[in-house]
Amino acid sequence: KRRAQSLESEVFRKTAWIQQIRFFHGVLLRYSRDRSHPEQRKIIIEVEIMELKTYENDPEVDLKHIEEEAAAVASEVCDLAGLKAGQVLVIGCSSSEVVGERVGTHSSMDVAGAPYRGITKVTAPKGIILTAQCCEHLNRAIVMEREVLEKLDLDEVNVIPQPKAGGSFGTTVYKNCKDPVVAESLKQKADAGIDIGGVLIGMHIKPVVVPLKINKRNILKATIIAARRRPKYVGGARAVYNDALE
């Protein structure tokens, strides 16, 4: 009995010690680093990622298949929307919905990384600008490269996305940007958008927003909605319109 009590006490001490290390490690990452440097800002994200469930070895979640499906969706959307180099594509993605769970309940960096890789395989060679919507905890702020923020004359906000406060997809994009920033809004400057899991991205697209009828309706278990913009019609009965802009 004394031996059992001694072992129990030792396990308790070691557990408490590990918890203290993790706590102070988090404090150091969050408060002692110079957040002005892009790479140091990204390190802060790692603390929360440690707590997330991993799907790397889950037989029901094929990350490679998700990546391929996302690439197929992005390719179709870019073609249907007629996106050109320098134009903006906004992505909203719920990693929870991708694995069949309610939005905001099973955030996963593993799962978010798969559609990110698939989409960037399509957008990067075409020179299409990729931006990512954060979740409602950050008021659907937008992650992008600093040069994009400056080009579009957007307002930067002070926040570093986290999986549970910004979303895993927004966090993934932030981690992969060379000089990541978060804009308060895109101010309706996106040329097209992909909604993965019903997270609502239409507010970021230039008027008039036109739904795209795409062949691929799902990425794993998440429903896909895509849209593009078209220029507004002006004039009346005598006006002549450019069919290429329809």
Side-chain angles (χ1 to χ4, degrees):
K1 184 177 179 181
R2 286 196 299 271
R3 176 62 176 166
Q5 289 175 338
S6 176
L7 287 172
E8 184 179 350
S9 178
E10 184 178 352
V11 168
F12 177 80
R13 286 197 304 271
K14 287 184 177 180
T15 301
W17 180 70
I18 291 171
Q19 288 176 341
Q20 287 180 347
I21 288 177
R22 293 187 67 182
F23 171 77
F24 287 112
H25 178 61
V27 170
L28 285 172
L29 286 176
R30 290 178 184 273
Y31 300 109
S32 69
R33 290 184 176 274
D34 175 11
R35 298 189 184 190
S36 64
H37 192 282
E39 291 305 318
Q40 291 174 335
R41 294 201 304 271
K42 295 175 192 178
I43 292 174
I44 298 170
I45 296 169
E46 301 299 333
V47 176
E48 187 168 338
I49 292 174
M50 293 166 62
E51 305 294 334
L52 299 180
K53 178 180 178 180
T54 177
Y55 287 87
E56 285 185 346
N57 299 315
D58 192 322
E60 296 184 4
V61 180
D62 187 337
L63 298 179
K64 185 63 178 177
H65 181 62
I66 294 173
E67 181 179 331
E68 292 170 352
E69 288 188 317
V73 169
S75 180
E76 189 174 6
V77 169
C78 288
D79 289 343
L80 290 175
L83 293 181
K84 302 178 180 64
Q87 291 189 302
V88 179
L89 175 67
V90 61
I91 308 291
C93 174
S94 167
S95 58
S96 300
E97 290 283 339
V98 172
V99 296
E101 303 292 346
R102 185 168 58 84
V103 61
T105 61
H106 287 68
S107 190
S108 167
M109 292 292 288
D110 295 333
V111 175
Y116 170 78
R117 291 189 297 272
I119 292 168
T120 52
K121 283 181 181 178
V122 175
T123 58
K126 296 176 181 288
I128 295 168
I129 297 170
L130 177 66
T131 62
Q133 174 185 269
C134 294
C135 70
E136 65 269 23
H137 292 92
L138 299 188
N139 295 336
R140 293 192 166 87
I142 305 292
V143 179
M144 63 189 67
E145 292 282 4
R146 181 171 297 280
E147 63 180 7
V148 175
L149 178 124
E150 294 171 351
K151 173 185 175 181
L152 299 178
D153 191 26
L154 301 176
D155 300 317
E156 181 180 1
V157 291
N158 185 2
V159 69
I160 298 174
Q162 306 291 306
K164 296 179 182 178
S168 287
F169 188 81
T171 304
T172 297
V173 175
Y174 190 95
K175 285 187 63 182
N176 283 278
C177 284
K178 294 177 181 177
D179 188 2
V181 294
V182 181
E184 182 178 26
S185 167
L186 262 177
K187 297 182 179 179
Q188 295 184 308
K189 293 185 177 182
D191 297 283
I194 302 173
D195 179 335
I196 305 172
V199 294
L200 306 178
I201 48 85
M203 68 190 79
H204 304 299
I205 303 174
K206 299 173 186 175
V208 174
V209 182
V210 180
L212 288 173
K213 294 182 179 180
I214 59 176
N215 295 318
K216 189 70 177 172
R217 299 296 183 90
N218 297 86
I219 293 179
L220 200 57
K221 297 179 181 180
T223 301
I224 304 300
I225 300 174
R228 65 173 176 89
R229 63 89 50 155
R230 70 156 175 81
K232 298 176 182 178
Y233 293 122
V234 295
R238 292 176 292 176
V240 178
Y241 299 113
N242 182 350
D243 292 341
L245 297 179
E246 289 285 339

